[in-house]
Amino acid sequence: AQRVTQPEKLLSVFKGAPVELKCNYSYSGSPELFWYVQYSRQRLQLLLRHISRESIKGFTADLNKGETSFHLKKPFAQEEDSAMYYCALREGSQGNLIFGKGTKLSVKP
Amino acid sequence: NAGVMQNPRHLVRRRGQEARLRCSPMKGHSHVYWYRQLPEEGLKFMVYLQKENIIDESGMPKERFSAEFPKEGPSILRIQQVVRGDSAAYFCASSSTSGKETQYFGPGTRLLVL
């Protein structure tokens, strides 16, 4: 069955430290993966998608099919990065998303 | 463009009552997805609709839940005879087309069943 796993419920780092939010998936086909972010009191918004291979707000994520992972990384965390981060997988051609349980990132000053 | 709108933002119902959740997609979007988020869980897909059509309702409970997206007006998720386990945040997302397009999310409706 298709599944997205985010093993860390909470990740706390100091400002300027590197951060890596883990995401593993299981999917029988060719996956399309996303990271969504939800800042405090704001709606869920797309951060990045693997097919774009882009860097948004200093974040990058590489799809590793061998390890079935799509970890989100940033070399130097900022306080404004504090938020809930959700990894998601798009299922089939219909477009509905399968989400992980989310990781709360807290960046301390 | 105001983005995806959902109302009400908070809804309190007693067991056995009906809950109606509304979602107005972004202007120009004709595809709507509903997701439910239980406490401490990720969002789970419920139903995917286009105007006047249900495309995929595989994630929606077979009983008490229904969804529609009429030609005019918002999409509505209806929960009949609510139970405490229905307490959750319900999110709506819209896209201009299905498949490869980005889904834009609304702020959610938080349903509390007493």
Side-chain angles (χ1 to χ4, degrees):
Chain A
Q2 294 90 339
R3 187 170 58 244
V4 175
T5 303
Q6 293 179 251
E8 301 140 329
K9 198 171 177 178
L10 173 65
L11 183 62
S12 185
V13 301
F14 285 102
K15 178 183 171 182
V19 63
E20 181 180 55
L21 290 85
K22 292 185 168 50
C23 172
N24 290 89
Y25 67 90
S26 68
Y27 185 61
S28 55
S30 184
E32 189 172 3
L33 286 143
F34 305 80
W35 276 98
Y36 277 81
V37 60
Q38 187 173 29
Y39 300 102
S40 180
R41 298 194 185 89
Q42 294 187 29
R43 59 186 68 192
L44 202 63
Q45 55 186 286
L46 179 66
L47 181 62
L48 53 81
R49 48 200 296 181
H50 91 270
I51 59 172
S52 301
R53 301 185 68 82
E54 59 197 344
S55 173
I56 302 293
K57 300 185 178 182
F59 284 97
T60 59
D62 291 317
L63 179 61
N64 185 324
K65 291 187 179 181
E67 296 183 357
T68 61
S69 68
F70 187 56
H71 303 328
L72 183 68
K73 300 177 184 178
K74 185 169 182 176
F76 307 104
Q78 303 299 315
E79 288 181 69
E80 54 266 30
D81 296 328
S82 296
M84 279 294 295
Y85 290 81
Y86 294 94
C87 182
L89 178 152
R90 196 199 312 266
E91 182 175 35
S93 61
Q94 303 280 36
N96 51 279
L97 297 166
I98 299 170
F99 283 87
K101 291 187 178 184
T103 297
K104 184 175 182 178
L105 174 64
S106 175
V107 182
K108 298 177 179 177
Chain B
N1 195 331
V4 178
M5 305 295 288
Q6 288 187 251
N7 68 80
R9 295 290 305 277
H10 299 274
L11 183 61
V12 180
R13 285 287 177 266
R14 295 189 182 282
R15 281 179 296 170
Q17 291 184 318
E18 179 180 285
R20 280 187 178 235
L21 288 65
R22 294 175 188 76
C23 168
S24 297
M26 284 180 69
K27 188 175 180 180
H29 286 191
S30 58
H31 297 254
V32 165
Y33 302 81
W34 284 94
Y35 296 85
R36 177 167 66 174
Q37 185 178 31
L38 295 170
E40 306 293 319
E41 297 287 324
L43 283 75
K44 291 214 169 21
F45 166 73
M46 299 181 74
V47 61
Y48 162 42
L49 310 101
Q50 292 181 29
K51 285 283 187 182
E52 299 185 278
N53 287 305
I54 296 175
I55 307 302
D56 181 359
E57 55 182 349
S58 60
M60 198 155 68
K62 296 285 186 288
E63 296 179 356
R64 301 188 299 107
F65 285 73
S66 62
E68 63 178 12
F69 190 14
K71 187 176 179 181
E72 301 291 336
S75 174
I76 294 176
L77 180 68
R78 183 182 175 205
I79 312 172
Q80 295 178 288
Q81 300 176 316
V82 295
V83 300
R84 287 213 174 113
D86 297 333
S87 294
Y90 292 82
F91 292 93
C92 163
S94 74
S95 70
S96 57
T97 62
S98 68
K100 305 303 181 188
E101 295 302 315
T102 297
Q103 292 182 26
Y104 294 88
F105 281 80
T109 294
R110 276 145 185 85
L111 172 65
L112 175 63
V113 180
L114 301 177

